[in-house]
Every structure is written in structure tokens, then in C-alpha cells.
Amino acid sequence: MHPRPRPSRPSPRSTGTRLPTAADRRRKLSTGTPESRIGHTKGIPLRPPGTVEGVPVEIRRSARRTRSVSAYREGDRTIVLIPARMSEAEERRWVGVMLEKLDAKDRDKERRATRGDAELAERAARLSAQYLDGKARPDSVRWVTNQNSRWGSCTPAEGTIRLSHRLQGMPEYVVDYVLLHELAHLLVPGHGPAFWRLLEAYSRTERARGYLEGVVAADRLPHPSDGDPTA
């Protein structure tokens, strides 16, 4: 009698019984179920937003980055982009370095803005003395970045004048015209005959208006309803 063959045990390599390897676990992390992919980009975990010295910071690791580190502001948060293989110790060091760089850039921007506003106020005083007998005396003159449909604005009740940052880099006579235009509004609201008489002494008024109208046409910016590009 021949012995009955003993049933063979499934080999660990057999289909359906293979033991998971480290490669399998990594593959499951990057291509598994939607639940396993939450908080990951191409298998790289995204650090939940935290704070560094009171500053909200979000760390984003990228497999495409090998050595470079960069950072930028996004609303009230700071986003720091680092290589995926960077250690936590290196991460902490680079976050500190990038925050310092961004803070220095912000301080430099504030200094330039303050210096630019001071120079603009001096320029306004000089133009007022030369063309308006010094009668226009604004309480505040500054550059702003939120005026995209007008070159300048004036609030006579508050004595404030604001010039669009888009004027920076334009010819001096153009900036002088816009500033003088707003100074005149401190004395006469609106654009009636009395207002334009105040600007008659400035010989480059028409030339400056033509320059600004050309810029508006080239940029396809909306014209103010009364046709005056500085209003």
C-alpha cells in the first residue's frame, strides 16, 4: 500500500499567503486607500501646521527637492518647503533660518516704505509752496498698493493723500502732476473750473495727462467716469 501523500503546506511565497515586506508597507502608504493617503503627497507626510515663536508655520516636504530650502508667507502662515529626506534636527534649524530671512525682508520693506513716504511728503510740501502758495498742507502723504484703478486719491476731511505704487518709476513730471493734482483737491473738491485754474501754473499738466492716458490705454485699465485718470 502506497502511503497517501501528505498535503503540502502553503509556502510563504505562494499567492495569497506572502508575508508583507517593507517595500509593501511603503507602497501601501503611498498608493493605499484614501484614508491612508490623507496628509501625504506622493508618500511624503505633510507636517500639520504648528507655531514657531508664535508664528504659524507649515512644513512641506518634497521628493523633488534635494538640497534647496525656500519659504514664503501665505496669509498669516509661513510655508517652509524642504527636501523630503531632511532630518527633524535640520528641519528645525532651517525653519529658524528661513523665518529670520523673511523677517529681515519684511523689516527692509517697511524701512523702504517709511523712507519713500517721508520723501513723498517733502515733495508735496515743495510743490505746494511752488504752485499753490503753500496753502495745501496735507497731514499725511503716502504710497499705497491697493489703488489699481486710479493714480491718486485725496480725503480732504482727513487731510490725507495716497498715490498708487504704479507711479513709481514713471517720469518725475508725471508723479509731480498727480501729487499736485491731489494737493489741489485739499483746496477745491471736484474738477470744476476753479480746480483746473489751480493747476494752470504747472506747465506739464497736459503732457502728464497724456502720458497717463497712454498707460491706461496700454494696460486696458478702466477710465474714471469723468475721464480724469487721477481722480
Side-chain angles (χ1 to χ4, degrees):
M1 173 181 258
H2 298 285
R4 180 177 299 175
R6 181 178 299 177
S8 60
R9 293 184 179 181
S11 168
R13 297 181 176 229
S14 301
T15 302
T17 60
R18 183 169 62 87
L19 298 177
T21 65
D24 292 331
R25 287 190 290 272
R26 287 195 299 270
R27 192 157 44 245
K28 183 178 181 181
L29 179 63
S30 61
T31 62
T33 62
E35 289 80 6
S36 69
R37 291 199 301 268
I38 293 176
H40 294 76
T41 300
K42 296 184 179 180
I44 302 169
L46 299 178
R47 178 71 58 84
T51 59
V52 177
E53 297 181 356
V55 179
V57 176
E58 180 178 329
I59 310 299
R60 296 181 183 175
R61 291 176 175 262
S62 171
R64 294 181 178 180
R65 288 178 177 268
T66 57
R67 303 175 67 179
S68 64
V69 178
S70 62
Y72 61 91
R73 308 287 193 195
E74 187 177 85
D76 61 347
R77 291 185 303 169
T78 297
I79 311 300
V80 181
L81 308 176
I82 63 175
R85 296 182 178 182
M86 182 174 286
S87 68
E88 291 190 7
E90 290 176 315
E91 174 188 309
R92 287 192 297 270
R93 183 175 72 84
W94 275 105
V95 167
V97 169
M98 300 312 292
L99 286 177
E100 288 181 4
K101 286 187 175 182
L102 288 176
D103 289 343
K105 185 182 295 184
D106 291 342
R107 288 193 298 270
D108 184 57
K109 186 183 298 183
E110 291 175 3
R111 282 195 298 269
R112 288 199 307 270
T114 301
R115 185 171 61 249
D117 290 348
E119 293 173 352
L120 196 61
E122 293 176 0
R123 191 171 188 171
R126 185 174 65 252
L127 289 171
S128 177
Q130 183 175 355
Y131 297 102
L132 302 173
D133 296 327
K135 295 178 180 179
R137 299 178 181 177
D139 293 326
S140 171
V141 184
R142 60 192 180 92
W143 295 103
V144 295
T145 58
N146 59 353
Q147 288 189 165
N148 295 318
S149 61
R150 57 180 59 196
W151 300 113
S153 62
C154 173
T155 306
E158 299 176 0
T160 58
I161 291 176
R162 297 163 297 279
L163 263 58
S164 172
H165 72 288
R166 293 182 297 126
L167 288 165
Q168 296 172 344
M170 290 189 185
E172 295 294 313
Y173 74 89
V174 175
V175 179
D176 282 349
Y177 163 70
V178 176
L179 186 51
L180 187 59
H181 183 112
E182 302 308 332
L183 285 167
H185 275 310
L186 291 176
L187 305 177
V188 179
H191 296 96
F195 172 83
W196 291 112
R197 279 197 295 272
L198 291 176
L199 298 181
E200 287 179 353
Y202 187 67
S203 61
R204 294 189 171 185
T205 291
E206 292 305 318
R207 183 179 177 185
R209 284 169 57 82
Y211 183 97
L212 293 173
E213 288 171 356
V215 173
V216 169
D219 293 346
R220 296 182 179 178
L221 296 174
H223 285 271
S225 58
D226 64 354
D228 184 66
T230 58

